[in-house]
């Protein structure tokens, strides 16, 4: 894919179109058509998850996608309804009004519009780096927690029961209260679909490889299975008249063609309600989009422009707002299907959008009798795959603090909801950062006899100079770890009252911020008053550039040495002169 | 001062008392008496600042101090009313009820009690490290902003005008509206006192040194001056009958002796109101106390136990709550007086507390006619000294990001008040941290010809190996800077399509967190798929300890080299073998 200019310019035609190569056309068109067909089940399902009429999931795969490929920068990310923003819409709005009602739809559109505008603003203000506020374990915990919330929200469709509640746990309680009203036919449909999809997803390919079948063909079947399940269910519904005779809930009649463009302006009160959720949704969308975009860019040797991506994503959501407010984002499974189907450029997404348009125009009457229980089953299967236990185990083995942050993020979502869950996640990421930085590794070091190499006195047998303390700080110096450094300094100086030279080895100190510079200046002055000289050794280039003009440099009681060894030699030589003896 | 045990044990008698040496006694007793007398003006003034009856400032210098020296760990910090917690009490409570009224006093006591309990909890939970959440520039900006708020709050006393408002700016507006009601006598008193104190504080010592007088004696005069000013003002008040004839506001009648112990329990509603302010006050007190404690410990070769300090500070505030709710903390000027007066151990503080008790018992009738305008003038002079422009200039020259954080913290306090100002400060400290970490210094390096040393290809003339890229990352790897690292990697690889070996030099990488480890594993896999081997060189001990058991280590496509030079030699040798030529 050709080089995009670095500036977030909005050229009239996107560069990928201007530089389009004819040989990619057939691949892209076919990939797009395949994508459109295969994502019908998830598009309907995610609309259901968001509490919106299922057909808006299809609409959201048309014009928003065109806005994205026009303004965004990734060539292979496939945009559409995604799980987390859908459950978020539901979680924000369902306590306030009945899902599916006109007011609900209007508010969902308002939420989508606001969050789209905010995402575009993030892009224009080059705030893409904010996606780095979360560590991977925290993102994983957040997604796993959200997956549990998603599963809880779908239970009522699987059971065919009415349940209400202003948060997940209240609706779970309400569900348990009404559990006797479970419709056995609905439940059978739902559980069957669930088992079928689970077996397909987790068992088909291993089975194929064990039986010696073509695994690639098996993989194709796994992707097509949701469509097969839906089609089978519809047939069963019609043949057995399950909706009329057994009150199995269905999608219901869908207006033919494209829903009209809704004009609305959220009122001031609505804005106040929607502001924080829209901001969180914009942030979540940012994190998801940039994370996936980078993974793709690395794999496919592309250059990703994060801030341009955000403009595209935001524009897509603004457009989506006018088609009944289904928020969109970069979908993991959607993109995987896109790639597997052979997409090469964004033309595939254009082809998918046009294909979906044709599908919608052709006729959506066949969706009318789709059982909601089966859609819910496909959502539950997708959610189960979002729960990542492996990430927890890996974090536990590598860095326990990260594993605890993961648990904390998941717990935050489960107990406090999505918005506070994200805030908890950000807080945990930053707190682990600070806690680690507060405990820098500091080593007293000496010279390995007969060499010019220096090591921790605890690790190896080394020689030291009496009265001189060599301290290496393995961390950048900033306000967060100064206390630890000063405490260690004091502790070491208290151990040995004869110390009159303190050498700070700065080879691993990548930065010294203002607080650290001032603190070192104070340390220098206090040590001076006690007759101890402070020296610096192996100060890095960028650090020295700054320190040169600082008060510390001028006031330093000792010298600045180019290497640890020259500091060692200098101080040893001084003592030889002082004592008149050879100290080796 | 003897070594305290590391655990926060509460022995019945503090160790400094158990190990007390007779020869310090006279110094300490004298220092304490001097301290008590010299801090009378500021104790009265800070009580006024807090909106409480002035005498509680004296009470707060008695029993709370005893609680602190019994439980705390610093031997030289002098506890008493301080500016920031006083203005905070005022800012929190004055919008709700009239300062000085019985309800106000009860609420102030509740605030003091809550914040004292929270501070003790911080100490027991070993949360002292939280004081590191703020960089020095941010603390400086916060204090400067608070100083401006303090000055604004005292203007009405200087003018002798009634002003009301729920925040500083509203009261300023109210003041301007009523400015015609200024009492000229009050104003004269106030401005005279102000000028006198300013000249004394900033002019006396320079004048003495220019005239060849004894500067040490001049310094003593500077410390005594507030007392002189107050005494002179009282005399003027009595002699000229300024309070009766010219309506100059005075302290008013003070109950003799010690105020009784008030028992109260804040109601649930009150708790809800006071919770957040108490938490912020506990945090501010923590930061102030630990910062000052460390400065003293460094200077006087003590070991500070931050969490023990917090228990002492919290206990002092709990005790203070029962004496009309004047919060206390480690005061900068108070401690300076303590040291200048010759204190050697906490016995000096005990002596000061007893001296203050005697003063209060002896008779406080002479305070009754102290003009508030003069007290206000002394507060304004203290506040002016809190505004630190030098810190801003220094930060601006050293690290502009820190300077902007300073301005942001000051603006946060001025525009949003003390509580949101602190929150803004914490946010700014963390954001500067993240922004810096997001822009790590990464260098492509090569070998200086004829040596074993490696340098940035931009800085020096170096030799490189065709097809091999040596990249040194000058920063620990964590979730915050991964994007930048990956972006740089991609950029470098795009420049040269022949690269088949990428060596990451880890000598400056102090940590690799879970997110970074997983990202490197992904990078390794993606590079592998493109035929590029990933090598690591000079991995630090603690980093290698963790990475050894991680997926990255097993999957690494290239080797792990002990030094950059051995990596260079190995890759060069492979190419010689491949091409059959000598590449020098």
């Amino acid at each position: 894919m050709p080089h995009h200019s670095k500036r977030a310019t909005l050229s009239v035609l996107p560069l990928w179109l201007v530089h389009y190569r004819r040989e990619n056309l057939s691949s892209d068109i076919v990939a797009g058509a395949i994508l459109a067909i295969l994502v019908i089940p998830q598009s309907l399902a995610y609309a259901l998850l968001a509490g919106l009429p299922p057909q808006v999931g299809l609409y959201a795969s048309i014009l928003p996608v065109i806005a994205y490929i026009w303004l965004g920068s990734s060539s292979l990310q496939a945009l559409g309804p995604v799980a987390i923003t859908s459950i978020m819409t539901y979680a924000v709005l369902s306590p306030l009004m009945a899902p599916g009602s006109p007011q609900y739809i209007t508010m969902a559109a308002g939420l989508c519009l606001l969050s789209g505008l905010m995402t575009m603003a993030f892009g224009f203000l080059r705030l893409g780096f904010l996606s780095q506020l979360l560590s991977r374990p925290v993102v994983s915990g957040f997604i796993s927690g959200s997956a549990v919330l998603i599963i809880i929200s779908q239970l009522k469709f699987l059971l065919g029961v009415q349940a209400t509640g202003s948060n997940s746990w209240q609706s779970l309680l309400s569900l348990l209260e009404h559990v006797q009203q479970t419709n056995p036919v609905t439940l059978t449909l739902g559980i069957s679909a669930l088992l079928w999809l689970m077996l397909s997803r987790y068992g088909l390919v291993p089975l194929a490889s064990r039986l010696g079948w073509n695994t690639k063909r098996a993989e194709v079947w796994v992707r097509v299975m949701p469509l097969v399940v839906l089609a089978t269910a519809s047939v069963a519904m019609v043949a057995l008249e399950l909706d009329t005779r057994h009150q199995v809930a269905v999608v219901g009649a869908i207006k033919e063609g494209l829903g009209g463009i809704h004009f609305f302006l959220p009122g001031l009160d609505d804005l106040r309600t929607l502001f924080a959720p829209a901001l969180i949704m914009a942030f979540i969308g940012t994190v998801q989009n940039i994370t996936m975009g980078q993974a793709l860019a690395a794999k496919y040797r592309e250059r990703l422009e994060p801030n341009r991506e955000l403009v595209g994503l935001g524009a897509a959501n603004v457009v989506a707002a006018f088609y009944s407010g289904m928020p969109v984002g970069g979908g993991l499974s959607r993109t995987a299907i896109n790639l597997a189907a052979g997409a090469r450029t964004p033309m595939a997404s254009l082809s998918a959008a046009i294909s979906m348009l044709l599908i919608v125009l052709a006729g959506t009457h066949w969706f009318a009798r789709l059982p909601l229980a089966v859609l819910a089953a496909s959502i539950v299967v997708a959610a189960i795959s979002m729960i990542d236990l492996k990430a927890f185990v890996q974090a536990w083995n590598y860095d326990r603090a990260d594993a605890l942050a993961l648990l904390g993020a998941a717990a935050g979502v489960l107990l406090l909801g999505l918005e506070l869950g994200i805030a908890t996640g950000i807080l945990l990421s930053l707190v682990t950062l600070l806690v680690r930085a507060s405990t820098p590794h500091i080593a007293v070091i000496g010279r390995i006899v007969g060499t010019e190499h220096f090591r921790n006195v605890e690790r190896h047998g080394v020689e030291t100079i009496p009265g001189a303390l060599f301290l290496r700080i393995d961390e950048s110096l900033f306000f967060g770890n100064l206390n630890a450094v000063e405490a260690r300094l004091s502790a070491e100086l208290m151990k040995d009252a004869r110390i009159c030279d303190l050498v700070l080895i700065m080879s691993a100190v990548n930065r010294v911020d203002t607080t650290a510079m001032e603190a070192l200046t104070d340390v220098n002055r206090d040590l001076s008053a006690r007759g101890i000289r402070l020296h610096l050794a192996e100060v890095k280039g960028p650090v020295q550039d700054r320190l040169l003009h600082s008060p510390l440099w001028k006031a330093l009681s000792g010298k600045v040495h180019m290497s640890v060894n020259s500091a060692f030699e200098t101080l040893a030589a001084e003592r030889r002169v002082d004592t008149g003896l050879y100290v080796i």
Side-chain angles (χ1 to χ4, degrees), chain A:
Chain A
M1 176 159 177
H3 227 80
H4 284 180
S5 88
K6 268 200 136 102
R7 297 188 308 276
T9 47
L10 301 171
S11 36
V12 178
L13 281 180
L15 284 170
W16 64 264
L17 190 56
V18 169
H19 296 120
Y20 196 74
R21 285 191 278 189
R22 180 69 49 112
E23 63 254 28
N24 288 330
L25 193 61
S26 52
S27 276
D28 281 339
I29 290 182
V30 170
I34 294 175
L35 176 65
I37 295 170
L38 289 186
V39 298
I40 291 174
Q42 60 170 271
S43 309
L44 295 170
Y46 285 149
L48 180 72
L49 178 61
L52 294 167
Q55 62 269 29
V56 307
L58 304 182
Y59 302 161
S61 311
I62 308 174
L63 283 172
V65 174
I66 294 178
Y68 174 71
I69 61 178
W70 182 36
L71 294 171
S73 88
S74 171
S75 52
L76 296 165
Q77 230 183 110
L79 212 78
V82 284
I84 302 238
T85 41
S86 304
I87 186 67
M88 203 171 162
T89 302
Y90 181 79
V92 170
L93 297 178
S94 61
L96 305 173
M97 50 202 82
S101 62
Q103 306 93 308
Y104 186 99
I105 295 174
T106 308
M107 285 292 266
L111 182 59
C112 198
L113 176 67
L114 260 185
S115 104
L117 290 171
M118 289 175 177
T119 311
M120 288 183 85
F122 285 173
F124 284 127
L125 297 172
R126 310 185 84 69
L127 292 179
F129 73 92
L130 284 180
S131 66
Q132 294 174 123
L133 277 177
L134 299 172
S135 63
R136 279 198 198 186
V138 163
V139 172
S140 168
F142 175 77
I143 289 177
S144 298
S146 308
V148 173
L149 292 186
I150 290 174
I151 293 171
I152 292 174
S153 75
Q154 298 304 297
L155 291 175
K156 57 184 180 290
F157 296 114
L158 285 177
L159 297 177
V161 167
Q162 291 290 338
T164 51
S166 64
N167 65 47
S168 304
W169 303 105
Q170 280 192 16
S171 22
L172 193 60
L173 281 171
S174 165
L175 195 78
L176 291 171
E177 278 170 29
H178 297 118
V179 79
Q180 284 124 353
Q181 299 163 15
T182 303
N183 183 329
V185 182
T186 309
L187 186 63
T188 314
L189 257 181
I191 299 290
S192 317
L194 188 71
L195 289 173
W196 188 344
L197 288 168
M198 291 284 282
L199 283 168
S200 155
R201 187 179 201 132
Y202 295 108
L204 207 59
V205 175
L207 182 71
S209 88
R210 192 177 290 187
L211 292 175
W213 293 347
N214 186 344
T215 47
K216 284 239 171 273
R217 192 167 287 192
E219 278 168 24
V220 171
W221 271 111
V222 172
R223 293 208 190 282
V224 175
M225 203 59 75
L227 213 49
V228 172
V229 170
L230 238 68
T232 312
S234 300
V235 166
M237 292 293 285
V238 173
L240 303 171
E241 288 184 3
L242 292 173
D243 48 343
T244 37
R245 283 204 202 169
H246 299 280
Q247 288 90 47
V248 174
V250 291
V251 167
I254 297 177
K255 281 204 313 274
E256 291 291 327
L258 217 52
I261 297 174
H262 299 269
F263 284 112
F264 57 84
L265 279 174
L268 201 62
D269 275 337
D270 295 336
L271 273 176
R272 210 169 284 151
T273 319
L274 297 176
F275 187 82
L279 192 62
I280 308 274
M281 251 172 83
F283 179 66
I284 294 176
T286 298
V287 174
Q288 232 191 345
N289 180 272
I290 291 184
T291 317
M292 192 158 46
Q294 280 167 338
L296 286 173
K299 235 190 185 73
Y300 293 91
R301 226 190 248 254
E302 281 196 337
R303 178 187 257 139
L304 179 82
E305 291 169 59
N307 295 308
R308 202 185 147 108
E309 268 297 284
L310 294 181
V311 172
L313 176 65
N317 274 294
V318 169
V319 171
F322 291 98
Y323 286 87
S324 302
M326 179 85 217
V328 293
L332 197 59
S333 60
R334 196 173 282 253
T335 305
I337 296 175
N338 194 34
L339 296 167
R344 291 185 194 175
T345 75
M347 181 66 81
S349 284
L350 180 59
S351 160
I354 293 172
S355 308
M356 187 62 85
L357 179 61
L358 294 173
I359 290 170
V360 165
L361 290 173
T364 48
H365 52 268
W366 72 68
F367 299 154
R369 299 183 81 175
L370 268 178
L372 296 179
V374 173
L375 283 178
S378 69
I379 295 174
V380 169
V381 171
I384 289 174
S385 76
M386 281 161 67
I387 300 175
D388 193 350
L389 292 169
K390 186 171 155 217
F392 175 72
V393 172
Q394 185 153 285
W396 188 260
N397 290 332
Y398 185 76
D399 186 344
R400 214 142 281 195
D402 270 331
L404 290 173
L406 190 158
L407 281 182
V413 172
L414 285 174
L415 298 173
L416 305 171
L418 284 150
E419 293 154 80
L420 289 174
I422 263 280
T424 312
I426 296 175
L427 204 69
L428 283 169
S429 294
L430 294 174
V431 165
T432 33
L433 188 66
L434 268 173
V435 167
R436 276 193 201 117
S438 310
T439 49
H441 182 252
I442 301 174
V444 175
I445 71 173
R447 186 165 72 176
I448 301 178
V449 180
T451 71
E452 282 190 17
H453 291 287
F454 288 79
R455 287 285 185 270
N456 194 329
V457 295
E458 291 172 24
R459 283 187 189 255
H460 307 261
V462 296
E463 59 170 342
T464 57
I465 299 174
L469 182 67
F470 283 68
L471 217 57
R472 191 188 69 214
I473 305 168
D474 288 336
E475 194 76 55
S476 294
L477 292 174
F478 76 113
F479 61 86
N481 60 16
L482 273 179
N483 290 359
V485 172
E486 286 177 334
R488 181 62 183 272
L489 259 165
S490 302
E492 292 295 333
L493 289 173
M494 277 176 113
K495 281 185 197 168
D496 186 350
R498 302 170 303 162
I499 290 172
C500 47
D501 285 290
L502 172 61
V503 182
L504 285 183
I505 298 153
M506 312 277 280
S507 53
V509 176
N510 294 309
R511 282 179 213 273
V512 176
D513 84 343
T514 312
T515 307
M517 181 273 288
E518 292 179 2
L520 282 178
T521 314
D522 294 341
V523 166
N524 176 60
R525 185 196 62 219
D526 295 334
L527 289 178
S528 236
R530 289 154 62 175
I532 304 172
R533 289 188 303 174
L534 178 69
H535 309 258
L536 301 176
E538 291 191 21
V539 183
K540 303 186 83 134
V543 174
Q544 183 159 319
D545 290 345
R546 277 194 194 279
L547 282 179
L548 265 178
H549 310 289
S550 71
L552 174 65
W553 211 255
K554 305 175 191 80
L556 201 65
S557 48
K559 292 198 193 61
V560 177
H561 304 265
M562 287 304 296
S563 74
V564 194
N565 197 52
S566 69
F568 198 85
E569 288 294 328
T570 310
L571 292 178
E574 282 177 7
R575 278 154 181 72
R576 267 177 236 139
V577 169
D578 284 346
T579 63
L581 299 167
Y582 277 104
V583 177
I584 305 215

